[in-house]
Amino acid sequence: MRGVQTYGAEFVGTFWLVLGGCGSAVLAAAFPELGIGLLGVSLAFGLTVLTMAYAVGHLSGGHFNPAVSVGLWLGGRFSASQLLPYIVAQVLGAVAAGAVLYLIASGKAGFDASAGFASNGFGEHSPGQYSMVAALVCEVVMTALFLVVILGATDGRAPKGFAPIAIGLCLTLIHLISIPVTNTSVNPARSTGVALFQGSWALEQLWLFWLAPIVGAIIGALIYNVIGGDERR
């Protein structure tokens, strides 16, 4: 039962992250006259993590992101034996959210998932036409700092009860910085969940949005291991 609760929490949390974040981008970002724009989409991603961290974080730790799971493992906060099941649950949650979002969005005449569907990309598929190198650097650095915030906010020496707020606001800030570069991933599950429905260039470029966040998470965990030391001291 404990395993069902844990992996179910990761599934539901990642589902909400993708549906809430990518859904805001697909359905509401440019809605005529009432569009929420870049700021609204950034806030939506942050709110999904904040709300689900409070809702189910006590069940699974509230990772909702394969890169976060890797970083927490390297940071000594997470068992290696759970890493693969967590990632599977996260990806399945993201794909399920992508499917629900596709069903909703396709209810509007003229909808075309191949136009983007909140997918991450570089080069001609970057919102700001940023190069592959720029996208790679951006995703690595943003994920690294995300892990520093996560590890710091959940450190036993940090103020209690505020970690979801810090983490949610950090993800909001990350989106404010990097949506123009890659449409912001920092989460391989999030990228996969919509790329499958975009169906062409997003799948071809998906490798970068697995590689860069995981490399960034490793770097972030190593940074915090150095500056944070042993939380038991």
Side-chain angles (χ1 to χ4, degrees):
M1 178 59 72
R2 177 61 181 167
V4 172
Q5 291 178 326
T6 299
Y7 305 130
E10 285 297 302
F11 177 96
V12 170
T14 312
F15 177 94
W16 185 232
L17 185 153
V18 174
L19 185 62
C22 295
S24 71
V26 172
L27 304 174
F31 189 75
E33 299 180 10
L34 297 174
I36 61 174
L38 185 153
L39 178 60
V41 173
S42 299
L43 186 59
F45 271 101
L47 287 173
T48 62
V49 170
L50 188 156
T51 52
M52 273 298 165
Y54 276 123
V56 302
H58 57 285
L59 299 175
S60 68
H63 301 188
F64 318 142
N65 181 337
V68 170
S69 295
V70 170
L72 291 175
W73 165 59
L74 283 173
R77 311 283 184 86
F78 185 60
S79 169
S81 65
Q82 291 185 289
L83 189 57
L84 183 58
Y86 263 58
I87 292 173
V88 170
Q90 291 156 0
V91 172
L92 290 176
V95 172
V100 170
L101 180 57
Y102 183 87
L103 286 173
I104 295 170
S106 60
K108 180 180 179 180
F111 168 72
D112 180 11
S114 67
F117 200 54
S119 297
N120 303 114
F122 55 83
E124 65 179 314
H125 303 299
S126 157
Q129 306 291 292
Y130 285 84
S131 69
M132 181 183 73
V133 172
L136 182 66
V137 171
C138 184
E139 289 289 328
V140 168
V141 172
M142 295 299 156
T143 313
L145 272 296
F146 192 34
L147 262 294
V148 170
V149 170
I150 291 170
L151 289 166
T154 57
D155 192 303
R157 299 163 292 182
K160 306 302 181 196
F162 295 101
I165 298 173
I167 294 166
L169 289 175
C170 181
L171 189 60
T172 299
L173 176 59
I174 286 169
H175 279 78
L176 287 172
I177 297 167
S178 60
I179 284 178
V181 182
T182 62
N183 225 14
T184 310
S185 172
V186 301
N187 184 338
R190 169 262 188 268
S191 298
T192 303
V194 289
L196 290 174
F197 294 91
Q198 195 284 327
S200 57
W201 58 261
L203 286 173
E204 294 169 3
Q205 297 189 349
L206 184 60
W207 64 270
L208 187 143
F209 301 103
W210 275 87
L211 176 65
I214 289 175
V215 170
I218 292 169
I219 293 171
L222 293 175
I223 290 171
Y224 195 78
N225 286 347
V226 172
I227 65 174
D230 188 343
E231 69 177 74
R232 293 170 295 184
R233 288 188 303 186

